[in-house]
Amino acid sequence: MPAPSSVSRAVPSTAALPSVPPRARRPAPLAWGLAAGFAVLYACVAVNRHRRGLTKAYDLGIFEQAVRAYAHGQAPIVPLKGPGYHLLGDHFHPLIAVLAPAYRAFPSPLTLVVAQALLMALAVVPLTRWAHEVAGPRVALLVGCATGASWGIVRAAADDFHEIAFAVPLLAFAATALGRRRPLAAALWSLPLLLVKEDLGLTVAAVGVLIAWQARRERHSSPLPGLALAAVGLAATALTVLVVLPAFNPSGSFDYWQQLDGGGQGGQASLWELPLRLGWPPVKWLLLFLLAATAGFIGLRSPLLLLCVPTLAWRLFSSNSHYWGVSYHYSAVLMPIAFAALVDVLRRVDARRRVEVRRARRGLAVSALVAAVTLPLYPLHEVVMPEAWRTSPRLTEIRALLHRIPDDATVAASNRLAAQLTRRTEVTLVCRTPEGPGPQWVAVDLRDPSVQAPCATADTARMLAVYRERGYRPLVEQDGLLLLQRP
């Protein structure tokens, strides 16, 4: 049966597409089948990218060191971030500790990327089931496929590992519960977001505001529980940013304030600069346009899309250009919200109004088109690319170099090589000044395109000169590959 609606003119699920004959609907097999299919695709891409040496110390290596520590009952000390660096001083993501038992059983970076694939794919389930209830199996299939193939989720699923893998399904379930007018379920699904990342407390607050707004608008319950949830979200963000993160951070502060004050150049941005920062440079408009198109543009009519505001706000106001565009993993949390907004609008379509039905069909077509057009631009297409599965001579050379480093050794490595070593060695970045006698091994790939970040090329060259001065012996030095051993 269709989900209950507060809109008196809402009609059954036959509104958005040509008539669907009444039938006993069974959305679960479709939803779980799509989720399983996308989980396999995500895992194939992510595992193969690690096999090809494309994963990085920032961020797969960092999270593996943290989860590895949790798996052995230790604090998440991450040498890749610095000597004795406690990772809860960088971002607040204690929920990743739930991966510790799986990592203890299967100690490998692949455990993390497979877990991420499963979590990301899980977001397909509630959205597909809700679309099935609202508009039948064909729309459910379209929404499920568009969600699984959406640019934000696909990019994140193939991009190392990040804590927001937990946020994607939680937001899908929370937004769906909001759309179905199930405030308690929405609150319960959103609360774990407080343990995923510090900024998501603002999203929890947005969920609370929507619960309160629904209660006040529909007059079926008190808005106080929603307002209480909003207060909890705001308080949790304030507590983690002002107290918890500084307590664990070596500098005693929150590292990311400077990205909201003009990049730390001359103090805080003035009020007149904020609107300009919101809309400039134009790459920010690309992000907003693509998000609206993902929701078929009709999703802009749904209040659920307001859940995107906290994430968009800190991204667009930040001075970090990585946050502005449609690359990296930052847009994954926006995808389930966009599709929930799309389904929410379909739920309120009046089948007697042909204009609304045509608008709904166009919205679905736009959403499907966005998924189809962006699919070749993001890594999911690597599944069908033969060259992505080949082992290049360069990869063979890298494996031979890494094979010479024994287990449990201390290593200073470049970004991508470090990600291959975190499972079995204590690895740091080559550009960091070492403590004590220095690492036993130094492994660098100077042709690694990521070698400039997080390590500047000049810093890497400086430290390599230092190691040579200390008498480190070169065992491999060819084609940009360098392996040094401490005397």
Side-chain angles (χ1 to χ4, degrees):
M1 296 295 294
S5 172
S6 63
V7 182
S8 60
R9 60 187 179 83
V11 297
S13 62
T14 57
L17 286 179
S19 60
V20 179
R23 59 170 62 90
R25 291 176 179 165
R26 299 174 182 174
L30 174 62
W32 287 103
L34 287 175
F38 280 110
V40 171
L41 290 175
Y42 299 158
C44 283
V45 172
V47 169
N48 190 47
R49 289 175 71 85
H50 184 71
R51 180 193 69 85
R52 295 160 59 199
L54 299 180
T55 51
K56 303 175 289 294
Y58 275 48
D59 291 296
L60 179 59
I62 287 174
F63 281 106
E64 185 182 3
Q65 286 185 338
V67 174
R68 183 182 182 182
Y70 283 132
H72 291 85
Q74 301 169 357
I77 303 301
V78 176
L80 282 167
K81 288 286 289 184
Y85 193 100
H86 197 299
L87 197 59
L88 291 183
D90 184 43
H91 289 298
F92 187 71
H93 39 50
L95 195 58
I96 66 171
V98 303
L99 298 177
Y103 187 87
R104 189 66 183 263
F106 305 99
S108 167
L110 300 183
T111 301
L112 273 63
V113 298
V114 170
Q116 178 170 259
L118 295 174
L119 288 166
M120 294 282 192
L122 186 60
V124 172
V125 174
L127 293 165
T128 302
R129 296 188 69 168
W130 189 27
H132 198 296
E133 295 171 5
V134 166
R138 284 177 289 180
V139 171
L141 180 63
L142 187 153
V143 169
C145 289
T147 302
S150 60
W151 51 279
I153 290 179
V154 169
R155 185 67 180 88
D159 186 20
D160 291 356
F161 174 88
H162 298 91
E163 69 283 293
I164 53 93
F166 289 93
V168 172
L170 289 171
L171 284 168
F173 280 103
T176 300
L178 276 174
R180 287 170 162 171
R181 301 303 191 267
R182 297 176 181 175
L184 179 59
L188 293 177
W189 281 114
S190 67
L191 281 172
L193 293 171
L194 300 177
L195 304 179
V196 176
K197 199 176 178 186
E198 63 277 1
D199 65 281
L200 289 172
L202 301 178
T203 303
V204 174
V207 172
V209 169
L210 283 180
I211 290 174
W213 176 78
Q214 289 177 350
R216 183 175 180 83
R217 182 172 182 266
E218 298 167 16
R219 299 180 180 178
H220 58 71
S221 61
S222 169
L224 291 180
L227 296 177
L229 180 64
V232 168
L234 293 174
T237 293
L239 179 65
T240 53
V241 169
L242 300 177
V243 179
V244 177
L245 290 169
F248 288 107
N249 191 283
S251 66
S253 62
F254 180 50
D255 278 344
Y256 299 93
W257 283 127
Q258 62 177 347
Q259 297 182 0
L260 298 175
D261 68 356
Q265 302 172 357
Q268 293 184 342
S270 58
L271 291 177
W272 68 268
E273 291 178 295
L274 292 180
L276 179 62
R277 182 183 293 185
L278 185 65
W280 192 264
V283 67
K284 297 179 180 181
W285 291 102
L286 173 62
L287 169 63
L288 297 175
F289 173 82
L290 198 54
L291 178 63
T294 299
F297 294 112
I298 61 173
L300 296 173
R301 297 165 52 197
S302 170
L304 295 182
L305 206 61
L306 294 175
L307 296 179
C308 293
V309 170
T311 297
L312 289 174
W314 69 257
R315 287 180 62 182
L316 298 181
F317 282 122
S318 173
S319 61
N320 188 337
S321 60
H322 292 159
Y323 298 156
W324 302 340
V326 294
S327 299
Y328 304 104
H329 60 283
Y330 303 111
S331 297
V333 296
L334 303 177
M335 298 296 100
I337 300 172
F339 286 103
L342 172 62
V343 178
D344 185 46
V345 172
L346 297 179
R347 178 184 63 84
R348 293 181 278 116
V349 168
D350 188 343
R352 295 167 297 181
R353 297 177 179 268
R354 294 185 178 181
V355 173
E356 289 191 18
V357 173
R358 286 197 297 268
R359 187 181 296 128
R361 289 173 175 166
R362 285 196 299 267
L364 287 167
V366 168
S367 184
L369 182 62
V370 169
V373 169
T374 58
L375 194 58
L377 306 178
Y378 290 90
L380 200 61
H381 71 279
E382 293 178 3
V383 174
V384 295
M385 291 176 59
E387 59 270 24
W389 297 91
R390 297 192 183 109
T391 301
S392 66
R394 177 72 173 182
L395 183 56
T396 301
E397 293 175 0
I398 290 174
R399 289 176 178 174
L401 180 149
L402 297 176
H403 185 70
R404 302 183 68 164
I405 301 174
D407 292 351
D408 300 319
T410 56
V411 187
S414 55
N415 198 17
R416 286 184 175 175
L417 296 187
Q420 302 291 319
L421 293 166
T422 47
R423 179 185 65 83
R424 60 185 185 87
T425 68
E426 183 177 331
V427 61
T428 59
L429 287 175
V430 67
C431 58
R432 309 273 194 220
T433 301
E435 292 185 336
Q440 296 168 314
W441 300 83
V442 177
V444 176
D445 180 4
L446 295 175
R447 286 168 52 183
D448 175 3
S450 70
V451 77
Q452 298 181 10
C455 288
T457 304
D459 291 335
T460 299
R462 175 179 55 83
M463 287 310 304
L464 288 177
V466 169
Y467 288 126
R468 290 182 186 275
E469 290 174 1
R470 292 185 180 184
Y472 277 68
R473 182 165 56 96
L475 300 183
V476 176
E477 194 169 5
Q478 61 180 15
D479 298 330
L481 292 176
L482 181 64
L483 180 65
L484 306 177
Q485 185 180 19
R486 191 178 69 194

